[in-house]
Each structure stands twice: as C-alpha cells, then as structure tokens.
Amino acid sequence: MAKIIRSKSAAKPGAKKPGIPSSPGKKAGKPKALKPKPAKSKAWTAAEIHEAFSRFRKANPEPKGELEHLNPYTLLVAVVLSAQATDAGVNKATRALFAVADTPEKMLELGEEKVREYIKTIGLYRNKAKNVIALSEKLIAEFGGEVPRTRAEIESLPGAGRKTANVVLNMAYGEHTMAVDTHVFRVGNRTGLAPGNTPLEVELGLEKVIPSEFMLHAHHWLILHGRYTCLARKPRCEVCLINDLCRWPEKTV
Ligand code: SF4
C-alpha cells in the first residue's frame, strides 16, 4: 500500500512563497484574495474533512492532472518545464518534443540546442533545456535510464525540487504525496484545512488531516478546485461543493 513520504528538508530555493501569486502594483490595495493568510478559524473535524473529500470524489472519481505525458520520464520532464508556466503552455511545446524524445536516451540524441527550439515558448526555456539534458544524463548514468522512486533521488536531479518529486511520486508511482502549488496553497489556507505560511507547512498539514483513502487523488482534487472554483481573485463560492464547510471569513455564501 502506498505510503505518505515525508522529508525533513525545507522547501527548495525557488519554491513559491506564501502570498503567491503576487499582484504587481496592488501592494496597498486588497491583497486578501491573493495573499491567503493562515486561518485562525476553528479546525475542521475529521467528519467534516471526510465529507469534503467524499464530495470531491463523487463529483470527480478519477481526477487527472493536466500535464500531458507518455511515461514517468516525460512526466518528470513536463513537471520540470512547468515551473512558472501554465500546463497548457507546457503541453503545447511538449506534444512535439515527446513525439521525438520520450526517453532520456532520445533526449540526449536530440541535444540541448534542439530541445531549446522545441520549448522556446516556455518561460526560462534556456535554463530548462539545460536541465532537461542534464537530468537525462544523470538518469542514464545513475538510475539505468529510469525515473527513480524516492524523493531524495528525484530531488537530486537537475531542475527537480520537492514539488516535482511529489507530483512524480504521486502520478507515476501512486504514492500518497501532496504537491503544493499556488492553487493548493491558496485552498489549504482559505478553507482552513491546512493553514500554513509556506508550501511545506501546507503540504505537511494536508498530509496530516486528509484520510489515507483520499490521498491518491487529493492533490488533483485540490488543484482543480483552486484552478476552477476557488479562484484567486473571485472565488466561485456560490457553486463551491464545500462552501458550507469552508472556514474562509470572506466566502461569498
Ligand atoms: S467557499 Fe469560496 S473560498 Fe471557500 S473553498 Fe469554496 S470557493 Fe473557496
């Protein structure tokens, strides 16, 4: 049975900080919707948490990530490319890239310059192309060309941090990890499910309170909830499945 994988290490440099996403030019305006602060509200009961995730499960029994990939290797590459980029933007570039290079060996054969061409529509593409080549080399040299199955090993790959490891362990290997991106960070704080000042705090808080039976899909339910319902600027509380349970004082229902 899959287990929760925890590490004592702090979030890697470059991990998003609390308050993400930022809102340039709105420093003194209304930061509340964009800067969820850890809720001081009453903690959720175990029954309430079970109820919330039962509703997510009923509405979407098999949630899927939106990053397109063909195997654990292409998933790893897609996640590395997705830093500070949208899934849709990454998919647009990787469809053609993965058609010619879906293994570390083929990626090396393609070479950094050509990888750069394929991904030039993605932010930070020069550095990301370097990382894709370097991580492919390392996979071949140290892991027999396979994506490793431990957090420490994945985090040792160029361009891969804690979030990458959590996504790969969850989606490729079915581990009960919780990758915290900007959406999960916001939802964890607003709802009061797992208040925290850092992504790591929210991650560990969510792992602690979410029952094991929901952990395989919890990451996707929360991401999709944040992306399509609990929006940063205008949360759609009126259609929110958990609006009666949410602790956010500013919810609109
Ligand atoms: S009620 Fe509103 S703030 Fe609370 S989780 Fe739902 S959409 Fe987000």
Side-chain angles (χ1 to χ4, degrees):
M1 188 171 162
K3 286 195 178 127
I4 293 174
I5 292 183
R6 286 182 184 155
S7 153
K8 286 179 186 157
S9 63
K12 282 216 158 183
K16 290 199 172 183
K17 296 256 169 40
I20 45 179
S22 62
S23 177
K26 277 208 157 190
K27 225 174 172 182
K30 284 187 180 174
K32 287 169 265 179
L34 299 174
K35 292 188 83 176
K37 290 195 178 129
K40 292 202 172 72
S41 50
K42 210 174 111 207
W44 289 49
T45 65
E48 286 175 324
I49 294 169
H50 195 278
E51 173 62 22
F53 283 92
S54 298
R55 291 181 197 175
F56 286 138
R57 179 168 59 191
K58 194 170 173 204
N60 187 2
E62 295 283 336
K64 296 276 179 269
E66 294 183 341
L67 269 184
E68 294 173 12
H69 59 281
L70 306 166
N71 51 36
Y73 171 71
T74 49
L75 173 64
L76 170 68
V77 172
V79 181
V80 166
L81 295 179
S82 73
Q84 295 174 53
T86 63
D87 288 359
V90 172
N91 291 339
K92 224 168 146 186
T94 55
R95 265 173 224 140
L97 174 65
F98 294 159
V100 294
D102 60 356
T103 65
E105 292 81 3
K106 289 183 195 166
M107 198 65 80
L108 289 188
E109 215 169 287
L110 195 61
E112 187 177 327
E113 207 174 305
K114 287 204 178 123
V115 171
R116 219 165 34 221
E117 274 300 302
Y118 277 103
I119 66 167
K120 66 184 176 194
T121 51
I122 305 174
L124 311 173
Y125 71 97
R126 287 174 195 281
N127 204 33
K128 287 177 181 176
K130 249 189 201 63
N131 282 334
V132 167
I133 293 297
L135 75 80
S136 301
E137 281 170 349
K138 187 160 179 167
L139 287 177
I140 292 170
E142 296 180 26
F143 302 105
E146 300 288 324
V147 177
R149 289 174 174 257
T150 71
R151 175 192 299 291
E153 287 170 328
I154 297 174
E155 286 188 12
S156 77
L157 299 168
R162 187 178 182 91
K163 196 180 84 176
T164 305
N166 282 334
V167 174
V168 171
L169 288 170
N170 178 250
M171 290 178 66
Y173 299 136
E175 299 284 357
H176 288 184
T177 50
M178 174 58 66
V180 175
D181 70 348
T182 183
H183 300 300
V184 177
F185 184 79
R186 182 173 67 254
V187 171
N189 271 296
R190 269 189 188 163
T191 56
L193 262 174
N197 284 307
T198 64
L200 182 60
E201 275 179 36
V202 172
E203 176 190 325
L204 298 181
L206 288 170
E207 283 184 354
K208 199 168 155 193
V209 300
I210 298 172
S212 174
E213 66 176 292
F214 299 113
M215 273 302 290
L216 182 60
H217 295 312
H219 158 238
H220 285 131
W221 282 321
L222 294 177
I223 283 188
L224 295 173
H225 186 65
R227 188 175 284 165
Y228 297 110
T229 305
C230 193
L231 309 180
R233 285 171 188 275
K234 278 195 176 176
R236 302 169 64 220
C237 304
E238 68 286 355
V239 296
C240 172
L241 282 179
I242 56 167
N243 58 15
D244 55 326
L245 301 167
C246 172
R247 303 291 203 260
W248 199 37
E250 293 170 51
K251 65 183 182 181
T252 59
V253 289

